[in-house]
Amino acid sequence: MNKPLSDKSWQYRQLNAVTPGLDALSDALLELVAAGEPVVAGTADLQYSNGLSKFHRLHPERFVQFGISEQNMVSAAAGMAAVGMKPYVATFASFLALLCCEQIRMDVAYSKLPVRLIGHHAGISLGFYGTSHHATEDLAIMRSIANLTVIAPADGNQLMEVIKASNDYPHPIYIRTQRGRDPEVYANRQPFTIGKAISHFSGTDLTIIATGSTVHPALEATRALRRAGASVGFIDMATVKPIDRDAILEAAAQSPQILTVEEHNVLGGLGGAVAEVLSSEGLPVKLTRHGIYDEYSLIAPPTHLYVHYELDAKGIEARAVKLLEGVS
């Protein structure tokens, strides 16, 4: 490993050493390459932030560095897919979902091309970078685009299985990830089925449904509530579109209340998707959506922001307790 240029500088080339979760994306793609798949990868000047530097190092002939040109990257990926390649392109979620929305809609989704769009550092995980880099609208935007599947893995192991499952999937996919520092939810890799939720617990008082980065803290909150005697269920809704209607309806049949938790605006994301299912069935279940309450998130370290917005385990548990006590 190269010596730091300065003890005060950011060492992006050394991030993988302290953030092993950054290897997940490259490792999953390397497995596909080893299996003979025509995988190619690209990024917009962020190979050290998303871990694709490892893939680049081992397969430079399969890697494209697009520079700060995200829209061109998406259009080029569509072209690669059109000639039989399997492109996986990655950049900050705020840039991918918002800046590249037109290219995703017209070049990728409208054409039904199997491009895998990886929006990393989603939600408020970029902290001090501020509003321009926070992605709290991406789930709503991406799931409203026809032909586009939307998945938010909970940790590195699940991400690797999502990549594996995406290999022969016929539709384009938006994969929402964090910054490689995600706490482990799944100790071992488990086969992932696109469109199928993972139920951890059933509950007769309340069911919590979370996706992506909120799965770990929401699962911790669920366990604490169950230890305290409450019957609380938990569902990891990794696939936000197509959403697992059966899992939602089963939870609604068991619990009088459902709490959705997401690192996203409460409008249009996971909570909105669950609300659509419940309302279309006319079910008398109280739904509470927890996340960013239709505002631009503050600027601070991510850990501080999660506490502020009650998206940490204690905050989610507190929200759930209020619901269990009948306090809205």
Side-chain angles (χ1 to χ4, degrees), residues 103-117:
Q103 286 72 30
I104 292 173
R105 177 175 180 262
M106 296 308 302
D107 296 346
V108 175
Y110 177 74
S111 304
K112 298 182 180 179
L113 291 168
V115 175
R116 283 59 173 116
L117 305 150

Side-chain angles (χ1 to χ4, degrees), residues 13 78 120 162 164 166 203 218 231 257:
R13 294 169 190 256
H120 54 86
V162 167
K164 182 178 180 180
S166 75
S231 179
Q257 298 190 78

Side-chain angles (χ1 to χ4, degrees), residues 52-300:
L52 283 176
S53 55
K54 182 177 183 179
F55 185 88
H56 178 205
R57 185 175 69 254
L58 296 174
H59 289 287
E61 77 286 358
R62 292 173 178 259
F63 181 83
V64 181
Q65 172 58 270
F66 287 92
I68 306 175
S69 184
E70 294 86 358
Q71 293 163 313
N72 289 342
M73 179 180 73
V74 172
S75 295
M80 293 176 189
V83 296
M85 299 180 191
K86 295 185 176 182
Y88 289 76
V89 293
T91 188
F92 289 148
S94 54
F95 298 165
L96 189 57
L98 280 74
L99 180 63
C100 303
C101 184
E102 180 181 357
Q103 286 72 30
I104 292 173
R105 177 175 180 262
M106 296 308 302
D107 296 346
V108 175
Y110 177 74
S111 304
K112 298 182 180 179
L113 291 168
V115 175
R116 283 59 173 116
L117 305 150
I118 297 126
H120 54 86
H121 289 74
I124 51 180
S125 63
L126 273 171
F128 276 126
Y129 284 74
T131 302
S132 64
H133 286 59
H134 292 175
T136 56
E137 309 92 353
D138 58 321
L139 290 177
I141 295 169
M142 292 294 98
R143 80 178 191 89
S144 69
I145 296 177
N147 301 328
L148 186 62
T149 293
V150 180
I151 305 175
D155 65 5
N157 282 333
Q158 191 174 61
L159 170 60
M160 293 185 72
E161 287 301 307
V162 167
I163 297 297
K164 182 178 180 180
S166 75
N167 182 50
D168 293 319
Y169 191 72
H171 305 296
I173 308 174
Y174 175 72
I175 302 173
R176 185 187 210 240
T177 68
Q178 295 299 306
R179 56 187 183 134
R181 296 174 181 264
D182 317 300
E184 187 178 83
V185 175
Y186 300 100
N188 302 302
R189 290 174 60 178
Q190 303 174 14
F192 183 84
T193 301
I194 296 173
K196 185 69 175 176
I198 301 172
S199 179
H200 288 255
F201 299 108
S202 297
T204 56
D205 295 328
L206 170 71
T207 296
I208 298 176
I209 303 177
T211 190
S213 63
T214 57
V215 169
H216 185 272
L219 188 53
E220 282 198 336
T222 300
R223 288 175 175 140
L225 293 163
R226 292 175 66 87
R227 286 194 298 269
S231 179
V232 178
F234 182 78
I235 296 172
D236 171 5
M237 192 67 73
T239 306
V240 179
K241 178 190 175 184
I243 201 158
D244 190 340
R245 295 178 61 90
D246 291 341
I248 296 170
L249 296 179
E250 183 177 349
Q254 297 174 344
S255 303
Q257 298 190 78
I258 291 177
L259 171 66
T260 60
V261 185
E262 58 194 309
E263 191 178 332
H264 185 274
N265 194 320
V266 294
L267 303 180
L270 172 66
V274 172
E276 290 163 11
V277 173
L278 295 175
S279 61
S280 67
E281 297 293 332
L283 297 176
V285 176
K286 180 179 179 181
L287 171 66
T288 300
R289 296 165 297 160
H290 181 46
I292 307 297
Y293 289 88
D294 198 26
E295 62 184 86
Y296 292 106
S297 46
L298 299 175
I299 301 171

